[in-house]
Amino acid sequence: MKLKLSFILICAVIALSGCETLKQIKAENDQKLLNLAKESCSKYGFAESTDSFANCVQKEINEIKNRSAIESASKNVNDK
C-alpha cells in the first residue's frame, strides 16, 4: 500500500514538473516573439513608449502568428 502511494506521489510530481517546463517554454517563446516584434517596429522608425509603437507591435505579433499558422497548415496538408 505504501509503495503504491509512493508511486502515485512520484508520478504526480513528475507530471506537475512537466507542466512548469511547458509554461516556461511558452513564456520564453512569447518573450522572443515580443522582442522580434519590437525590433521590427523600431526598424520601421516607430518610437518606443508611443501608441503607434504599441499598435505596430500588436500587428507584428499577429502577422507572425498568422504566418506560423499558415505554414503549419500548409505543412499538414503536404504531409497527407
Side-chain angles (χ1 to χ4, degrees):
M1 185 68 161
K2 283 186 177 183
L3 184 60
K4 188 175 181 179
L5 182 59
S6 296
F7 179 73
I8 291 172
L9 288 173
I10 289 171
C11 289
V13 169
I14 291 171
L16 292 174
S17 67
C19 291
E20 188 59 34
T21 302
L22 292 176
K23 287 179 186 177
Q24 288 173 331
I25 292 170
K26 183 178 181 335
E28 290 170 4
N29 287 341
D30 288 348
Q31 188 61 47
K32 287 178 186 176
L33 182 62
L34 178 61
N35 291 340
L36 183 62
K38 284 182 172 182
E39 183 180 324
S40 294
C41 292
S42 292
K43 287 180 181 178
Y44 297 151
F46 291 101
E48 286 195 43
S49 300
T50 63
D51 289 343
S52 297
F53 185 82
N55 289 333
C56 178
V57 169
Q58 288 176 340
K59 287 179 183 178
E60 284 294 308
I61 289 172
N62 288 337
E63 284 297 317
I64 293 168
K65 286 182 177 181
N66 286 340
R67 270 185 258 133
S68 178
I70 290 169
E71 289 172 4
S72 179
S74 174
K75 190 175 186 180
N76 288 338
V77 168
N78 291 334
D79 287 345
K80 290 183 179 183

